[in-house]
Amino acid sequence: MGDGYCLEKVGFYNIERRIGKGNFAEVKLARHRLTRTEVAIKIIEKRRLDSMNLKKVHREVDIMKQLDHPHIIKLYQVMESNDMIFIVSEYASRGEIFDYIAKHGRMSESTARRKFWQILSAIEYCHNRRIVHRDLKAENLLLDSNMNIKIADFGFSNYYNPNEFLSTWCGSPPYAAPEVFEGKKYVGPEIDIWSLGVVLYVLVCGSLPFDGNTLHALRDRVLSGRFRIPYFMSTGCESLIRKMLVLDPHKRYTIEQIKRHSWMMQEAPRLLPSTGGSDGKNEPNEQIIHLMQNMGIDSGPVRESLRYKYYDHYSAIYYLFLDY
Ligand SMILES: CC1(C)C(=O)N([C@H]2C=Cc3c(O)cccc32)c2nc(Nc3ccccc3)ncc21
């Protein structure tokens, strides 16, 4: 990757440096020349993708277009040419919570609870829109400059129907639900709940509940449903984790039950306000429209771009001022 091109500018963005590299994409930190705000741009060379992975990229973009939540990475703009796709989105400047824990060790239960409330609120928002993430893990939980959670990487996400089943093997093995290891069909939300149980364990313990030197050893550990509770974990936290890491998906806690659990209720959620930029009725924020007009940007195309979710330059400037 990266040998095929050398980019200084993409659209209205100045590329600054690389922040990540996948097998089909590179992610670069960039800055919008007009708003001066930092963004992250996922740069994909289409020729490197087979049809399945190209379909996956388009599904990830389609799903991100549906999501507008303070604890989910916001999509700003999509630019596609014959051989490249540029996905411009919110930049979480403090990186992975995984790296934060690797550096600072496990969190206090109070800090873990605050982060978990933000994660839970974002996943509840997705499930209410019939979207499952399917790859929740500490590496995909990013942190912004104020240490707020920003969920990334909807590459494995999908729509689900409560009356139908999905079967694709998704996610990272230490976070995968037992029924996924067994190749069973699943509805969707219940496998995110299992991963959330693993995430909460990682936040509080700084280590994985299930691990193994081989995939088979890990599988056996997960299917046994047994994991160690360290001496420092409170009984409340243990009780909640044991209700999420339940082998039987029908007996596993739902998000509603998690929110009402005593350990969660010890401290009320402190979520960022939803930046829907309006009263939630998807009306654009008139101050931003006015500000853009003062810059010589006609409000017509901006309103149309927001209404029809074009995710073009107009949307990008609007969202960047909104998140400012
Ligand atoms: C566009 C988007 C959502 C994305 O695809 N990535 C990549 C890139 C690195 C990486 C990772 O290490 C883990 C997950 C996602 C990613 C992003 N990384 C960041 N911040 C960051 C900052 C310092 C270190 C790591 C990540 N903000 C937004 C994104």
Side-chain angles (χ1 to χ4, degrees):
M1 199 53 174
D3 48 358
Y5 59 87
C6 170
L7 284 170
E8 298 282 311
K9 293 181 178 7
V10 171
F12 283 91
Y13 305 94
N14 293 333
I15 301 287
E16 295 195 349
R17 62 183 167 81
R18 186 165 86 182
I19 48 179
K21 180 171 169 39
N23 30 14
F24 304 116
E26 257 189 334
V27 183
K28 304 232 173 175
L29 172 62
R31 190 177 293 276
H32 194 279
R33 288 210 294 279
L34 196 64
T35 65
R36 309 301 304 149
T37 28
E38 289 179 320
V39 297
I41 305 185
K42 197 183 241 184
I43 302 172
I44 295 162
E45 275 182 275
K46 286 183 186 172
R47 64 187 170 85
R48 285 173 175 271
L49 296 180
D50 56 29
S51 63
M52 195 212 20
N53 284 304
L54 189 59
K55 205 160 61 73
K56 247 183 73 169
V57 167
H58 283 124
R59 185 198 290 166
E60 178 181 1
V61 168
D62 291 345
I63 283 181
M64 287 183 78
K65 285 179 176 178
Q66 313 302 320
L67 303 175
D68 183 4
H69 187 278
H71 297 297
I72 294 176
I73 288 282
K74 180 76 187 111
L75 176 68
Y76 293 143
Q77 183 179 359
V78 182
M79 294 175 270
E80 188 160 356
S81 68
N82 286 341
D83 47 13
M84 304 292 278
I85 302 176
F86 300 95
I87 303 170
V88 184
S89 63
E90 182 174 9
Y91 171 61
S93 62
R94 295 180 80 124
E96 300 175 13
I97 207 164
F98 178 93
D99 292 330
Y100 176 85
I101 291 171
K103 187 174 172 190
H104 299 99
R106 60 186 165 89
M107 295 180 166
S108 69
E109 292 193 10
S110 167
T111 304
R113 179 184 298 109
R114 269 206 306 285
K115 299 289 176 271
F116 197 64
W117 265 117
Q118 295 186 343
I119 298 164
L120 205 58
S121 135
I123 296 306
E124 178 182 38
Y125 171 90
C126 294
H127 290 182
N128 288 346
R129 279 157 186 73
R130 294 284 170 82
I131 290 168
V132 279
H133 186 283
R134 299 200 297 186
D135 190 18
L136 291 170
K137 55 185 175 182
E139 296 87 331
N140 281 340
L141 300 173
L142 301 179
L143 294 162
D144 71 4
S145 51
N146 300 320
M147 296 299 283
N148 289 302
I149 289 283
K150 298 283 178 179
I151 296 184
D153 211 339
F154 282 77
F156 280 109
S157 62
N158 201 351
Y159 297 99
Y160 74 92
N161 178 324
N163 310 315
E164 286 168 18
F165 291 98
L166 299 167
S167 58
T168 319
W169 212 111
C170 277
S172 165
Y175 292 80
E179 60 269 27
V180 172
F181 273 104
E182 291 178 312
K184 289 179 182 167
K185 293 184 179 303
Y186 54 87
V187 175
E190 71 280 17
I191 67 165
D192 278 350
I193 300 287
W194 175 279
S195 303
L196 286 174
V198 177
V199 163
L200 179 55
Y201 186 100
V202 168
L203 297 183
V204 172
C205 302
S207 63
L208 287 164
F210 308 105
D211 214 342
N213 299 327
T214 63
L215 191 62
H216 197 79
L218 172 65
R219 180 185 183 281
D220 290 349
R221 296 288 303 280
V222 172
L223 296 184
S224 78
R226 288 197 320 277
F227 51 93
R228 293 176 42 73
I229 299 293
Y231 71 92
F232 52 75
M233 187 187 281
S234 71
T235 49
C237 190
E238 173 183 356
S239 153
L240 174 55
I241 290 176
R242 286 196 185 284
K243 294 206 167 63
M244 298 172 76
L245 299 183
V246 168
L247 290 177
D248 180 347
H250 302 95
K251 297 200 179 92
R252 201 171 295 158
Y253 255 23
T254 62
I255 286 186
E256 275 314 309
Q257 289 172 302
I258 296 169
K259 287 165 72 177
R260 288 197 298 266
H261 187 277
S262 59
W263 186 80
M264 294 299 291
M265 300 295 280
Q266 279 173 22
E267 216 170 329
R270 279 172 32 198
L271 310 173
L272 288 176
S274 69
T275 58
S278 58
D279 37 18
K281 292 190 209 61
N282 285 335
E283 289 304 310
N285 175 310
E286 289 307 322
Q287 281 107 313
I288 305 284
I289 299 283
H290 193 67
L291 183 140
M292 291 172 73
Q293 273 175 319
N294 292 345
M295 300 177 89
I297 299 168
D298 185 23
S299 69
V302 179
R303 293 182 195 283
E304 185 176 341
S305 173
L306 295 170
R307 184 181 311 122
Y308 298 110
K309 297 183 184 288
Y310 290 161
Y311 285 92
D312 58 13
H313 282 296
Y314 292 109
S315 307
I317 295 167
Y318 172 86
Y319 287 126
L320 288 169
F321 277 136
L322 194 63
D323 280 355
Y324 199 65

